[in-house]
Amino acid sequence: MTYEPVPATHREVRLARRPSGAPAPGDLEVVEAPLPEGEVLVRNEWMLMASAYRELMKERPGLPLPPFPVGEAPTGRTVGTVVRSQDPAVPVGALVEHFQGWREYAAGPGGAFAVRDRDLLPGPEYFLSNGPTAWLGMAGMAEAGPGDVVFVSGATSGVGSVAGQIAKARGARRVIGSAGSKEKAEYLVEELGFDAAFDRHDGPALDLLRELAPDGIDVFFDNTGGEQFEAAVQLARPGARFALCGALAGQNGDDTSAGRPRLDLLTAISRQLVLRPFACFHTPDQIDGWNRQFAQWLDEGRFVYPRTVVEGGVAGAPQALFDLLDRKFYGNVLLRLTGGTDRIDEGGSR
Amino acid sequence: MTYEPVPATHREVRLARRPSGAPAPGDLEVVEAPLPEGEVLVRNEWMLMASAYRELMKERPGLPLPPFPVGEAPTGRTVGTVVRSQDPAVPVGALVEHFQGWREYAAGPGGAFAVRDRDLLPGPEYFLSNGPTAWLGMAGMAEAGPGDVVFVSGATSGVGSVAGQIAKARGARRVIGSAGSKEKAEYLVEELGFDAAFDRHDGPALDLLRELAPDGIDVFFDNTGGEQFEAAVQLARPGARFALCGALAGQNGDDTSAGRPRLDLLTAISRQLVLRPFACFHTPDQIDGWNRQFAQWLDEGRFVYPRTVVEGGVAGAPQALFDLLDRKFYGNVLLRLTGGTDRIDEGGSR
């Protein structure tokens, strides 16, 4: 059963060697390879690019996932369309989400592919948002809600850009973001509806944050660690909730202070802070729940999908990762792997 | 209505001046003063000495309580017997707990005194244990239970010595303590039933803890901060719960690293640690609940009351604080303010 013709070979990116220091062009190679085989064959349309992939390229103890194997295509969150199937639960034509990214086609048993309701969201790439992580952190860990003053560090990141909007949509009184440039700070306020934002290069984080939150913060959603974490502790109000998602900052080189900020225990104890570090693993229910919430907020016009679309195909994946690590992008970074689109939707995209 | 004769004057300790650096003898003075007046008059029997008093002697922003006023007697957790009363809810003869420590007599409205069931525990000083704090941290914050490997830093402190026993009584698989000397480490194992303990001077905390917990820890109850906090993060198992009570360590001088350890965010996130800093404020229900639990475990022979009794009376209070800060004591430090006792109970006492 064939939905569309499939080629005999496809392109995929392989990890050629482990990076020494920051990932560099020779670490990833694009190869032409035989089409993968399996019960279900999927043409990949979009992959979410993520800074976490930098860490998984290395042999780094303590990560929640094993490192990418050398000589193989890495994993990555991807959506595509089923083009061949022997599993009736994953039929031809279905939109599916899976982890065989960095390649044009994916294959495997039906259980490797989660079917998505294509009509729920405006496009397949909407199913790849960092929303489940942002939602888990902002709603589940930090319980941001009406009246809260919320600070999101690294707020133009894929997770941060969604997290800030979630806080607003849940009724937060004031949402403040930090960003890596003046342009990104403006983007937060003008396009994503943050109440205030600062460029972290403009001074000590403690001073910048205090100016925007003179009475302190109730919620901190951390994507960076470092001095922004330390500033958030100093400005936390009693009982403030911290959702900590910022481990990956500053790991690209010797800036270890970002990944290992000082924790002021006396202040944390005096104010009875709740610190919840959390990783990006989600149950199917969490993902479905987020996608439904996302659809509703989009319908109500209360949300934009903050994203950068990279049109380079599989061959452009390595450069897209390098550009992401150079902080060139805004919001969720979506790499088109195959196909095109006749739909134009620029909401929140740069 | 008089239960026993009362004098016209009593002795109290006053804060003569704010310490510059570590508290020194001239900072506290013992004076003879008129008996305080109020609806209820209490003869104080025992006060719990605590390292937190050092911080409250200073003008230190960020503390959960205001500093002790200069020229007045400080506050401190105390039990005593009502000797005069115009409040039928706080009758003469009742055992009451309150915060007017550092003096022989306390007075005030009935609402300032919490009546205790004298028959519940073996002696009045048992009502002054650090149990409510240890219980809140070990049961409420860390939820230590069957199967857990538990690490308590600063385990011979008042809070730590009770916390470790609570973990054992709740079924923890293995309870490990750190202490400030070889003798204190032995005390933990031989008298309090810890499974293992180390002297923190014997090497890097990470090495010492790894040797005793080669498969990692599920619960950390922190009384010290510093390198023991950092070691606990490195050895935490996924989902480990941290009850953080150690802010006051290392604040006596320039050892700020104890109070501001590095938080390894990547590890904390990868392992999804739950970090709960908490302070020692308790509801009446929490205190009553602990006292009943304490009584039951004492009856069952599963618990000792780890304590040091200081017999110096009010005049000995300043030196008792200095000795406590010099880490001379074991367990809960109980200062006898007035009266004597014909009961001898040395369980866990040194």
Side-chain angles (χ1 to χ4, degrees), chain A residues 88-317:
Chain A
V90 187
V92 166
L95 179 70
V96 292
E97 184 177 333
H98 62 91
F99 292 99
Q100 295 178 49
W102 303 87
R103 66 203 94 179
E104 290 176 319
Y105 284 84
F113 303 96
V115 176
R116 298 286 176 243
D117 173 8
R118 197 186 281 277
D119 297 329
L120 181 66
L121 289 167
E125 73 277 23
Y126 281 70
F127 290 90
L128 288 182
S129 82
N130 282 296
T133 300
W135 177 250
L136 175 62
M138 196 57 93
M141 299 284 165
E143 298 178 30
D148 284 334
V149 175
V150 176
F151 173 45
V152 180
S153 68
T156 56
S157 67
V159 174
S161 57
V162 178
Q165 291 187 82
I166 289 171
K168 282 305 281 185
R170 285 171 59 90
R173 180 155 60 91
R174 184 168 166 82
V175 176
I176 299 159
S178 70
S181 71
K182 185 170 180 300
E183 292 70 28
K184 285 185 169 179
E186 285 172 3
Y187 167 79
L188 292 174
V189 174
E190 289 168 17
E191 300 201 31
L192 301 190
F194 281 56
D195 297 286
F198 64 85
D199 171 6
R200 64 186 167 83
H201 301 101
D202 274 353
L206 184 57
D207 295 345
L208 297 170
L209 181 56
R210 186 183 282 124
E211 196 172 312
L212 296 179
D215 299 322
I217 61 172
D218 304 290
V219 166
F220 176 46
F221 191 110
D222 185 31
N223 295 292
T224 67
E227 71 159 337
Q228 299 188 66
F229 171 89
E230 293 175 359
V233 170
Q234 295 307 316
L235 291 172
R237 284 209 274 244
R241 295 88 66 196
F242 281 32
L244 303 178
C245 186
L248 301 180
Q251 304 289 332
N252 199 11
D254 4 282
D255 181 13
T256 53
S257 63
R260 291 176 180 251
R262 295 238 177 243
L263 174 58
D264 178 350
L265 282 170
L266 182 62
T267 299
I269 290 169
S270 296
R271 303 195 194 151
Q272 311 232 34
L273 307 187
V274 178
L275 307 181
R276 297 297 305 268
F278 72 103
C280 317
F281 298 111
H282 308 291
T283 64
D285 280 354
Q286 285 173 335
I287 293 169
D288 287 344
W290 162 251
N291 285 334
R292 283 194 301 273
Q293 181 65 76
F294 191 21
Q296 183 195 328
W297 282 338
L298 287 169
D299 281 350
E300 295 170 358
R302 300 170 68 189
F303 222 89
V304 295
Y305 184 20
R307 65 194 186 282
T308 298
V309 169
V310 181
E311 294 282 0
V314 164

Side-chain angles (χ1 to χ4, degrees), chain B residues 250-263:
Chain B
Q251 306 289 331
N252 199 11
D254 9 279
D255 181 11
T256 54
S257 63
R260 292 179 180 247
R262 295 238 177 241
L263 173 59

